[in-house]
Every structure is written in C-alpha cells, then in structure tokens.
Short mmCIF file of all heavy atoms in Angstrom, two decimals:
data_model
loop_
_atom_site.label_atom_id
_atom_site.label_comp_id
_atom_site.label_asym_id
_atom_site.label_seq_id
_atom_site.Cartn_x
_atom_site.Cartn_y
_atom_site.Cartn_z
N GLY A 22 165.63 170.42 44.07
CA GLY A 22 165.35 171.56 43.18
C GLY A 22 166.06 172.81 43.60
O GLY A 22 166.82 172.77 44.58
N PHE A 23 165.80 173.87 43.08
CA PHE A 23 166.31 175.19 43.47
C PHE A 23 165.26 176.28 43.26
O PHE A 23 164.35 176.16 42.49
CB PHE A 23 167.65 175.51 42.72
CG PHE A 23 167.42 175.88 41.21
CD1 PHE A 23 167.19 177.10 40.84
CD2 PHE A 23 167.24 174.88 40.29
CE1 PHE A 23 167.04 177.44 39.47
CE2 PHE A 23 167.07 175.13 39.02
CZ PHE A 23 166.91 176.48 38.53
N VAL A 24 165.46 177.26 44.04
CA VAL A 24 164.53 178.41 43.95
C VAL A 24 165.46 179.67 43.88
O VAL A 24 166.37 179.85 44.63
CB VAL A 24 163.65 178.52 45.24
CG1 VAL A 24 162.83 179.73 45.18
CG2 VAL A 24 162.78 177.27 45.32
N VAL A 25 165.09 180.50 42.99
CA VAL A 25 165.67 181.88 42.85
C VAL A 25 164.61 182.88 43.38
O VAL A 25 163.56 182.94 42.84
CB VAL A 25 166.14 182.28 41.50
CG1 VAL A 25 166.65 183.62 41.38
CG2 VAL A 25 167.14 181.26 40.98
N GLN A 26 165.04 183.58 44.46
CA GLN A 26 164.01 184.54 44.95
C GLN A 26 164.69 185.96 44.97
O GLN A 26 165.88 186.14 45.41
CB GLN A 26 163.73 184.15 46.45
CG GLN A 26 162.66 185.01 47.09
CD GLN A 26 162.32 184.54 48.48
OE1 GLN A 26 162.70 183.35 48.90
NE2 GLN A 26 161.55 185.32 49.22
N ALA A 27 163.93 186.93 44.52
CA ALA A 27 164.42 188.31 44.36
C ALA A 27 163.46 189.19 45.06
O ALA A 27 162.26 188.96 45.00
CB ALA A 27 164.59 188.76 43.02
N GLU A 28 164.00 190.18 45.75
CA GLU A 28 163.17 191.16 46.41
C GLU A 28 163.70 192.55 46.18
O GLU A 28 164.96 192.80 46.11
CB GLU A 28 163.22 190.89 47.95
CG GLU A 28 162.39 191.82 48.82
CD GLU A 28 162.39 191.49 50.26
OE1 GLU A 28 162.57 190.33 50.63
OE2 GLU A 28 162.33 192.41 50.96
N ALA A 29 162.79 193.50 45.96
CA ALA A 29 163.17 194.89 45.63
C ALA A 29 162.35 195.77 46.64
O ALA A 29 161.17 195.55 46.85
CB ALA A 29 162.92 195.21 44.22
N ASP A 30 163.07 196.75 47.12
CA ASP A 30 162.47 197.74 48.03
C ASP A 30 162.57 199.02 47.29
O ASP A 30 163.66 199.43 46.66
CB ASP A 30 163.05 197.82 49.33
CG ASP A 30 162.69 196.74 50.30
OD1 ASP A 30 161.55 196.31 50.25
OD2 ASP A 30 163.52 196.37 51.14
N ALA A 31 161.51 199.94 47.32
CA ALA A 31 161.57 201.15 46.73
C ALA A 31 160.76 202.23 47.63
O ALA A 31 159.85 201.79 48.40
CB ALA A 31 160.97 201.17 45.35
N VAL A 32 161.08 203.39 47.43
CA VAL A 32 160.35 204.49 48.20
C VAL A 32 160.16 205.58 47.18
O VAL A 32 161.07 205.94 46.32
CB VAL A 32 161.21 204.99 49.41
CG1 VAL A 32 160.59 206.30 49.98
CG2 VAL A 32 161.15 203.92 50.48
N GLN A 33 159.04 206.28 47.29
CA GLN A 33 158.65 207.35 46.43
C GLN A 33 159.64 208.48 46.62
O GLN A 33 160.30 208.64 47.64
CB GLN A 33 157.28 207.91 46.67
CG GLN A 33 157.16 208.43 48.10
CD GLN A 33 155.69 208.67 48.46
OE1 GLN A 33 154.84 208.01 48.08
NE2 GLN A 33 155.52 209.73 49.32
N THR A 34 159.89 209.29 45.56
CA THR A 34 160.76 210.39 45.73
C THR A 34 159.91 211.75 46.08
O THR A 34 160.67 212.64 46.64
CB THR A 34 161.56 210.73 44.40
OG1 THR A 34 160.56 210.97 43.38
CG2 THR A 34 162.42 209.60 44.11
N HIS A 35 158.71 211.73 45.95
CA HIS A 35 157.80 212.88 46.40
C HIS A 35 157.65 212.68 47.90
O HIS A 35 157.38 211.75 48.44
CB HIS A 35 156.37 212.81 45.71
CG HIS A 35 155.55 213.93 46.05
ND1 HIS A 35 155.81 215.24 45.67
CD2 HIS A 35 154.46 213.96 46.80
CE1 HIS A 35 154.90 215.99 46.12
NE2 HIS A 35 154.10 215.28 46.85
N ASN A 36 158.09 213.83 48.58
CA ASN A 36 158.11 213.75 50.04
C ASN A 36 159.01 212.66 50.53
O ASN A 36 158.64 211.87 51.39
CB ASN A 36 156.68 213.59 50.70
CG ASN A 36 155.81 214.83 50.33
OD1 ASN A 36 156.21 215.92 50.36
ND2 ASN A 36 154.59 214.49 50.06
N ALA A 37 160.21 212.58 49.97
CA ALA A 37 161.10 211.48 50.18
C ALA A 37 161.49 211.26 51.63
O ALA A 37 161.53 210.11 52.10
CB ALA A 37 162.29 211.58 49.28
N LYS A 38 161.78 212.26 52.38
CA LYS A 38 162.16 212.16 53.67
C LYS A 38 161.17 211.46 54.58
O LYS A 38 161.42 210.58 55.37
CB LYS A 38 162.59 213.47 54.33
CG LYS A 38 163.87 213.98 53.71
CD LYS A 38 164.34 215.21 54.49
CE LYS A 38 165.67 215.76 53.94
NZ LYS A 38 166.42 216.69 54.77
N ALA A 39 159.89 211.84 54.41
CA ALA A 39 158.77 211.31 55.13
C ALA A 39 158.60 209.78 54.67
O ALA A 39 158.23 208.95 55.46
CB ALA A 39 157.52 212.14 55.01
N ALA A 40 158.71 209.63 53.37
CA ALA A 40 158.47 208.27 52.89
C ALA A 40 159.58 207.31 53.40
O ALA A 40 159.30 206.14 53.68
CB ALA A 40 158.50 208.29 51.33
N ILE A 41 160.80 207.68 53.44
CA ILE A 41 161.92 206.88 53.98
C ILE A 41 161.61 206.46 55.37
O ILE A 41 161.68 205.34 55.79
CB ILE A 41 163.24 207.54 53.76
CG1 ILE A 41 163.58 207.57 52.27
CG2 ILE A 41 164.35 206.82 54.52
CD1 ILE A 41 164.81 208.49 51.98
N ARG A 42 161.24 207.51 56.14
CA ARG A 42 160.96 207.15 57.63
C ARG A 42 159.73 206.21 57.77
O ARG A 42 159.85 205.27 58.49
CB ARG A 42 160.69 208.41 58.44
CG ARG A 42 160.26 208.18 59.92
CD ARG A 42 160.08 209.41 60.64
NE ARG A 42 161.39 210.13 60.86
CZ ARG A 42 162.15 209.96 61.95
NH1 ARG A 42 161.83 209.18 62.88
NH2 ARG A 42 163.20 210.68 62.11
N SER A 43 158.79 206.40 56.91
CA SER A 43 157.51 205.57 56.99
C SER A 43 157.84 204.13 56.51
O SER A 43 157.40 203.21 57.10
CB SER A 43 156.54 206.24 56.13
OG SER A 43 155.35 205.40 56.05
N ALA A 44 158.58 204.06 55.46
CA ALA A 44 158.84 202.73 54.89
C ALA A 44 159.82 201.91 55.61
O ALA A 44 159.69 200.71 55.91
CB ALA A 44 159.25 202.85 53.44
N TRP A 45 160.94 202.57 56.06
CA TRP A 45 162.01 201.78 56.65
C TRP A 45 162.37 202.24 58.04
O TRP A 45 163.32 201.66 58.64
CB TRP A 45 163.31 202.00 55.78
CG TRP A 45 163.20 201.43 54.34
CD1 TRP A 45 162.61 200.22 54.09
CD2 TRP A 45 163.69 201.92 53.17
NE1 TRP A 45 162.66 200.08 52.77
CE2 TRP A 45 163.30 201.10 52.17
CE3 TRP A 45 164.32 203.11 52.87
CZ2 TRP A 45 163.61 201.24 50.85
CZ3 TRP A 45 164.58 203.35 51.55
CH2 TRP A 45 164.32 202.37 50.45
N GLY A 46 161.63 203.26 58.56
CA GLY A 46 161.91 203.70 59.97
C GLY A 46 163.23 204.36 60.14
O GLY A 46 163.90 204.30 61.16
N LEU A 47 163.80 204.94 59.05
CA LEU A 47 165.16 205.49 59.15
C LEU A 47 165.20 207.04 59.12
O LEU A 47 164.26 207.63 58.58
CB LEU A 47 166.03 205.09 57.90
CG LEU A 47 166.18 203.58 57.68
CD1 LEU A 47 166.87 203.20 56.31
CD2 LEU A 47 166.95 202.97 58.77
N GLN A 48 166.17 207.58 59.88
CA GLN A 48 166.34 208.96 59.67
C GLN A 48 166.79 209.16 58.19
O GLN A 48 167.67 208.51 57.71
CB GLN A 48 167.46 209.47 60.69
CG GLN A 48 167.11 209.39 62.04
CD GLN A 48 165.98 210.41 62.41
OE1 GLN A 48 165.63 211.37 61.60
NE2 GLN A 48 165.31 210.25 63.52
N SER A 49 166.23 210.11 57.52
CA SER A 49 166.37 210.28 56.11
C SER A 49 167.57 211.12 55.64
O SER A 49 167.92 211.12 54.58
CB SER A 49 165.05 210.74 55.49
OG SER A 49 164.84 212.00 56.01
N ASP A 50 168.14 211.87 56.49
CA ASP A 50 169.15 212.74 56.03
C ASP A 50 170.32 212.10 55.31
O ASP A 50 170.71 212.55 54.20
CB ASP A 50 169.72 213.64 57.28
CG ASP A 50 168.66 214.64 57.83
OD1 ASP A 50 167.72 214.89 57.11
OD2 ASP A 50 168.80 214.83 59.01
N ALA A 51 170.87 211.08 55.84
CA ALA A 51 171.93 210.36 55.20
C ALA A 51 171.47 209.71 53.88
O ALA A 51 172.16 209.73 52.94
CB ALA A 51 172.57 209.32 56.13
N MET A 52 170.32 209.18 53.95
CA MET A 52 169.72 208.46 52.77
C MET A 52 169.49 209.46 51.59
O MET A 52 169.95 209.14 50.50
CB MET A 52 168.50 207.75 53.06
CG MET A 52 168.60 206.55 54.02
SD MET A 52 169.33 205.09 53.32
CE MET A 52 167.97 204.63 52.18
N THR A 53 168.89 210.47 51.93
CA THR A 53 168.47 211.46 50.82
C THR A 53 169.76 212.09 50.22
O THR A 53 169.83 212.42 49.15
CB THR A 53 167.48 212.53 51.31
OG1 THR A 53 167.99 213.10 52.48
CG2 THR A 53 166.08 211.84 51.54
N SER A 54 170.76 212.39 51.02
CA SER A 54 171.96 213.00 50.55
C SER A 54 172.72 212.06 49.62
O SER A 54 173.30 212.43 48.63
CB SER A 54 172.91 213.42 51.66
OG SER A 54 173.39 212.33 52.42
#
C-alpha cells in the first residue's frame, strides 16, 4: 500500500518573535524579516 503524510507548522503573528522562539527555538530576527 502507500501512505501520504503531510505536516504543517505555523506560528501566531501576535508577539511573533516570542512565538517563533517558543515554537521552534529560533532567533526570530531573520525569520520575522
């Protein structure tokens, strides 16, 4: 058989810098720009 698996990640835009760090552990400056 076969399986199709999809995954999506998202982060809120309100307080985006803190949310990015919390969700992904990333410095947010490059991401938010």
Side-chain angles (χ1 to χ4, degrees):
F23 70 94
V24 175
V25 176
Q26 184 174 350
E28 182 178 325
D30 283 328
V32 168
Q33 67 192 32
T34 58
H35 182 70
N36 295 322
K38 290 186 177 194
I41 289 169
R42 179 178 289 268
S43 174
W45 295 321
L47 301 174
Q48 291 293 340
S49 60
D50 295 337
M52 294 287 288
T53 54
S54 66

